[in-house]
Amino acid sequence: MTAPANETTLDVAVDVRFTPVGTPLAIRHEGRIWVVAADPAHWFTREASWDTRRTAAVGSGDLVSTEYWRVEVRLGSSRSALRTFTLRRNPLSTQWLLENISD
C-alpha cells in the first residue's frame, strides 16, 4: 500500500498535551503548537506476542499494544487549514510519535 500524495510519513517524536480525561488537546511539532480542532479517533493495534521478541518480568506492562490517535489540528488559535495528524505510542514507551500528516 502506498501513501496518498497528500500524506507525509514522519515517525518523529512530539510532545502531546492531554485533557484531564485523557484526550489530546495540543501537539508540539517542530516548535509549533497545533491545537486539536475536532473529536479525535482513538484505537489500539496488537502485535502477536510471539513475534515481538520482547521479554519482561511478570507485571511489567503491555508488550504488544500500540496506541494511536488520529486528530484534526490547526496552528494555535488561528483559522489555518485543518491537517490530520496520526500519533502513535509503542508498547512500554512514554514518547508519542507523529506517524504521519495529511491534508
Side-chain angles (χ1 to χ4, degrees), residues 11-86:
D11 274 344
V12 296
V14 293
D15 295 321
V16 182
R17 175 180 247 176
F18 290 89
T19 67
V21 296
T23 304
L25 181 64
I27 296 103
R28 180 186 303 268
H29 170 55
E30 294 183 341
R32 301 169 96 180
I33 303 295
W34 295 82
V35 177
V36 176
D39 288 334
H42 187 221
W43 72 95
F44 291 85
T45 61
R46 290 186 171 248
E47 299 176 20
S49 60
W50 53 87
D51 288 340
T52 63
R53 307 274 191 263
R54 293 186 194 109
T55 58
V58 172
S60 62
D62 182 348
L63 301 177
V64 296
S65 295
T66 302
E67 184 175 8
Y68 289 88
W69 285 97
R70 179 165 293 133
V71 295
E72 290 186 35
V73 296
R74 65 174 31 115
L75 275 173
S77 59
S78 73
R79 295 280 183 201
S80 67
L82 287 175
R83 302 190 80 190
T84 302
F85 285 9
T86 303

